[in-house]
Amino acid sequence: MPDWIAAGFGEYAKRMPREAKLELVGIRPEPRSTGKTTAQIMEAEAQRILAALPQDSLRIALDEHGAQWTTKQFAGRMKLWMGEGRDVAFIIGGADGLHESVKKSAQQLLALSALTLPHALVRVLLAEQLYRSHSLLHGHPYHRE
């Protein structure tokens, strides 16, 4: 990833308190130069993604066709998740998106935008929204209306 992606994600991750720690787990993308079809590439990546997900985590797959929440709705969901005491795994697809098997394994599909976004940028946007939501829940002035 470009340095600015790592710096952006890192900035929001370090702002998060211990009880809402962000951890990024990267999955090696499938090489695009092997002659495999897009479907084969997505299947191979899906296997790695599913293997990396914690068993008992709440899985939220990011997809442009998923639910679109406001910041307040996102914060409300975050409050519920934290109350459940489970880890939440946000699943960001690769260059070709997420294989259907990954989407089906998720309890929720979420869209950060109706636009198609580069997966690297989604890391930063998601981290910022998690920080914003946590700030909103705890009365921190970061979020303004």
Side-chain angles (χ1 to χ4, degrees), residues 60-71 73-74 77 81 90-92 98 103 108-117 122 125-126 129:
I60 301 173
L62 299 189
D63 183 83
E64 71 231 34
H65 303 293
Q68 291 190 13
W69 298 331
T70 65
T71 297
Q73 289 170 323
F74 194 95
R77 294 292 178 116
W81 301 329
F90 291 94
I91 308 165
I92 301 170
L98 289 170
K103 292 180 195 179
Q108 176 75 51
L109 290 181
L110 174 64
L112 293 180
S113 170
L115 300 170
T116 301
L117 300 170
V122 169
L125 290 173
L126 178 60
Q129 283 301 297

Side-chain angles (χ1 to χ4, degrees), residues 16 78 130-143:
M16 294 297 285
M78 185 179 203
L130 288 165
Y131 175 70
R132 179 178 296 277
S133 294
H134 192 273
S135 297
L136 182 60
L137 291 173
H138 292 87
H140 187 279
Y142 179 79
H143 178 72

Side-chain angles (χ1 to χ4, degrees), residues 9-116:
F9 180 87
E11 178 61 31
Y12 292 108
K14 79 178 181 186
R15 292 182 187 189
M16 294 297 285
R18 188 179 6 233
E19 72 271 11
K21 182 181 138 190
L22 293 182
E23 179 183 351
L24 178 65
V25 177
I27 304 298
R28 180 180 51 84
E30 189 69 12
R32 302 287 190 256
S33 59
T34 60
K36 291 182 179 178
T37 66
T38 300
Q40 291 170 320
I41 289 170
M42 290 176 72
E43 174 64 34
E45 290 175 348
Q47 290 174 14
R48 286 198 288 280
I49 290 168
L50 292 170
L53 291 169
Q55 281 301 109
D56 296 330
S57 64
L58 173 65
R59 297 174 179 188
I60 301 173
L62 299 189
D63 183 83
E64 71 231 34
H65 303 293
Q68 291 190 13
W69 298 331
T70 65
T71 297
K72 283 188 174 183
Q73 289 170 323
F74 194 95
R77 294 292 178 116
M78 185 179 203
K79 184 176 183 176
L80 292 173
W81 301 329
M82 291 179 76
E84 289 179 10
R86 293 180 12 178
D87 287 339
V88 179
F90 291 94
I91 308 165
I92 301 170
D96 297 308
L98 289 170
H99 188 269
E100 200 60 34
S101 64
V102 177
K103 292 180 195 179
K104 286 182 179 177
S105 80
Q107 286 82 20
Q108 176 75 51
L109 290 181
L110 174 64
L112 293 180
S113 170
L115 300 170
T116 301

